[in-house]
Amino acid sequence: MMNKKISFFILSAFFANGMNAEVSENNERLVNFFTESLKGSNDCFKSKKRIKISKLKSNRQNVWDAWCEANNNFDEEKLIRLSPLAEAQQSSWHLPDSLENNAVMNYYFGSKGEKPSEGYPLFLYIHGSGNKDREWATGLKICNRFEDSPSMYFIPQIPNTGKYYRWWQKAKQFAWERLLRQAFVNGYVNPEKVYFFGISEGGYGSQRLASFYADYLAAAGPMAGGEPLRNAPAENCRNIGFSLLTGNLDDGFYRNTLTSYAKAVYDSLQHSDSSAYSHRIELIPDRGHSIDYSPTTPWLRNYERNPYPKHVVWEDFEMDGLHRDGFYNLYVLKRPESGNDNRTRYIVDIKDNKIDINADFVEYTVLEKDPQWGIELKYSKKFVPASGGRILLYLNEELIDFDRKVSVSVNGKEVFDGKVKMELKHLVNSCVAYFDPMRLYPAAIEVDF
């Protein structure tokens, strides 16, 4: 696990300042910059200020305080006040019309038990595809019943319904990122204990979201689902816990078959990388689409996020036309374009100040397809070295020793060799990029390949 120095610093800032973060007059420029970024500006923060290691803690503090101030003053629908989940307090978010017309996401937001000193574990639960009022009410009932206290829950209702309407589409992505951003700022949540899970359609959704947002998660737990792995590459879940429970008789849309295929892939990945891909994928005997949902959240909460893994695998894929800009400490400045799916797989390995990056295009070949609906069930993958891209490799004191030289190679070619400078601009720009208190990086190396 990670060294807790960064964790302790940021979390203490979290709970000491929380909703009442104050910034000094000297940080007015930071607050203004963050405010513009929240309004949609894509500008990068420019500064020549160097940071000494002795001043890194205070500079991180200043940046996070400025971010909190900008968020707290930003005119948007906020999370409602946290109250016991049993009180069923609810509110709604109006999602942008540019992403989906007339999308209002109702939600319950509440806690179970007393808040731990480091903050509540946060569970996002997403429901199935039946009547949305009934499914939402059922979600509240069962989440209150799960034995995972102390915990905090965000339980949304799907905004609309219709053919091929899903939890992972772009307006919902906006909601999940708002949830994470606001929860990290308001001081309720432990940012190292965030969990996504769901049932049926929510199982499909949480499996996709687990792969897409793995760098924010400690673990994920889809149930009664089973996505084709092209939609949720297992490789991205290397550093989180992953649970998938499906009835062995649940053959609707090949859920049991796809769950068994996922198990085979996760087993294979863990066999070749024994320190990673912790998972529990089971077909529950003699059960159809209805299974016992209670084992999932107690299993998930055993996991804690490592925000700084030194080995990362990222298949950069799109969901509803959108790609993530970054993943863990990688940030894409220019995406290499290929034919096919326009997918790039990055493998980053950091060892003793030596950083090796492999960047490959991913080509899928369908091995098995359902004859009725055309569902692609099984694939093989081919990797071809990628070129024409540019990435930013963010770094901190958990990943490298700043007193020594760092070497970076991409696809076997050395592209950097030297000492890395710590600068204010990287703390600020990484805060905007990830809105994550654990990922305020003081250094970065720009890499072309």
Side-chain angles (χ1 to χ4, degrees):
M1 291 298 295
M2 53 169 278
N3 184 304
K4 293 295 181 181
K5 292 180 181 178
I6 294 179
S7 175
F8 176 80
F9 152 65
I10 290 292
L11 286 176
S12 58
F14 235 13
F15 303 119
N17 297 292
M19 298 293 291
N20 299 309
E22 296 181 357
V23 293
S24 67
E25 186 175 343
N26 292 334
N27 282 343
E28 183 177 354
R29 183 186 172 206
L30 290 179
V31 176
N32 290 338
F33 175 81
F34 285 142
T35 299
E36 291 305 308
S37 74
L38 290 167
K39 291 178 180 178
S41 171
N42 292 318
D43 290 344
C44 289
F45 186 80
K46 295 178 174 61
S47 170
K48 295 182 179 179
K49 180 181 177 181
R50 298 276 296 275
I51 299 173
K52 296 180 180 179
I53 191 68
S54 61
K55 299 293 184 181
L56 180 54
K57 178 179 177 179
S58 61
N59 276 273
R60 271 206 186 98
Q61 181 77 67
N62 289 341
V63 168
W64 186 252
D65 284 351
W67 175 252
C68 289
E69 181 78 3
N71 275 266
N72 293 335
N73 292 334
F74 184 54
D75 185 13
E76 63 176 344
E77 294 170 322
K78 307 290 189 184
L79 282 167
I80 56 173
R81 180 184 63 84
L82 187 66
S83 59
L85 188 62
E87 293 180 3
Q89 297 298 312
Q90 61 178 275
S91 188
S92 60
W93 283 341
H94 293 75
L95 306 183
D97 285 337
S98 59
L99 301 178
E100 182 182 326
N101 290 327
N102 302 315
V104 178
M105 177 178 280
N106 298 318
Y107 67 87
Y108 294 110
F109 182 57
S111 60
K112 296 192 288 185
E114 294 295 321
K115 186 181 81 170
S117 59
E118 67 275 13
Y120 282 109
L122 169 63
F123 290 91
L124 167 65
Y125 167 80
I126 50 179
H127 64 67
S129 60
N131 175 278
K132 70 174 192 172
D133 292 325
R134 184 176 61 248
E135 292 283 349
W136 190 40
T138 298
L140 176 65
K141 182 185 298 183
I142 62 176
C143 289
N144 266 299
R145 205 164 57 222
F146 293 148
E147 295 182 0
D148 49 39
S149 179
S151 56
M152 180 170 71
Y153 269 86
F154 185 87
I155 305 171
Q157 182 185 50
I158 198 84
N160 293 301
T161 57
K163 186 177 181 181
Y164 208 63
Y165 185 77
R166 303 291 186 257
W167 283 110
W168 45 264
Q169 289 161 335
K170 59 183 69 173
K172 278 72 75 178
Q173 293 178 39
F174 174 90
W176 313 142
E177 292 175 21
R178 173 186 276 184
L179 168 65
L180 292 168
R181 175 171 56 82
Q182 291 192 8
F184 288 161
V185 165
N186 68 22
Y188 294 135
V189 64
N190 180 348
E192 295 181 13
K193 291 189 174 183
V194 177
Y195 311 95
F196 287 0
F197 76 112
I199 296 168
S200 190
E201 188 58 54
Y204 297 134
S206 56
Q207 188 174 351
R208 289 204 189 203
L209 296 175
S211 181
F212 202 63
Y213 291 113
D215 52 328
Y216 289 100
L217 303 181
M223 293 177 280
E227 272 282 356
L229 290 180
R230 187 175 193 157
N231 299 333
E235 290 83 352
N236 292 1
C237 297
R238 180 189 187 275
N239 297 297
I240 70 171
F242 182 78
S243 170
L244 172 56
L245 303 179
T246 304
N248 75 322
L249 303 178
D250 189 1
D251 57 1
F253 300 103
Y254 299 88
R255 284 184 283 263
N256 51 2
T257 298
L258 288 165
T259 296
S260 69
Y261 289 170
K263 176 174 171 53
V265 170
Y266 274 86
D267 285 351
S268 176
L269 288 169
Q270 189 179 53
H271 179 74
S272 60
D273 190 356
S274 59
S275 64
Y277 296 104
S278 179
H279 65 280
R280 177 187 63 177
I281 302 179
E282 297 178 4
L283 288 170
I284 309 303
D286 302 320
R287 302 297 300 192
H289 197 45
S290 177
I291 62 173
D292 181 2
Y293 307 129
S294 63
T296 291
T297 60
W299 188 90
L300 297 180
R301 63 173 294 126
N302 289 322
Y303 287 84
E304 183 173 317
R305 177 174 65 142
N306 175 10
Y308 320 117
K310 292 190 175 183
H311 190 85
V312 169
V313 183
W314 178 30
E315 185 171 318
D316 176 15
F317 69 105
E318 62 87 14
M319 283 201 317
D320 199 23
L322 300 180
H323 284 259
R324 289 285 308 282
D325 290 328
F327 193 75
Y328 288 104
N329 63 319
L330 277 182
Y331 191 83
V332 177
L333 299 174
K334 179 185 176 186
R335 185 164 282 104
E337 294 187 10
S338 65
N340 254 340
D341 245 350
N342 195 23
R343 295 186 181 219
T344 309
R345 182 195 66 178
Y346 301 93
I347 299 177
V348 181
D349 187 70
I350 303 176
K351 186 176 181 180
D352 195 30
N353 273 33
K354 179 175 170 49
I355 304 173
D356 289 310
I357 303 172
N358 284 319
D360 297 291
F361 292 126
V362 187
E363 298 178 2
Y364 280 78
T365 299
V366 179
L367 301 178
E368 183 180 345
K369 182 185 270 191
D370 150 57
Q372 183 175 356
W373 294 290
I375 300 172
E376 296 176 353
L377 302 173
K378 185 181 282 190
Y379 316 87
S380 65
K381 294 186 188 184
K382 178 182 178 182
F383 302 101
V384 178
S387 61
R390 181 179 303 120
I391 57 176
L392 201 61
L393 179 69
Y394 279 113
L395 298 168
N396 65 16
E397 64 274 32
E398 301 289 342
L399 296 171
I400 63 166
D401 178 354
F402 282 99
D403 291 329
R404 298 164 48 214
K405 283 186 175 183
V406 174
S407 67
V408 181
S409 296
V410 180
N411 291 347
K413 178 182 177 181
E414 187 173 77
V415 294
F416 180 86
D417 182 39
K419 283 198 171 183
V420 180
K421 302 173 183 177
M422 289 188 287
E423 299 176 272
L424 176 65
K425 65 182 181 182
H426 298 308
L427 287 175
V428 175
N429 290 326
S430 61
C431 184
V432 171
Y434 302 111
F435 47 88
D436 182 346
M438 309 311 300
R439 287 189 283 174
L440 274 60
Y441 294 100
I445 299 172
E446 188 171 312
V447 172
D448 290 288
F449 61 92

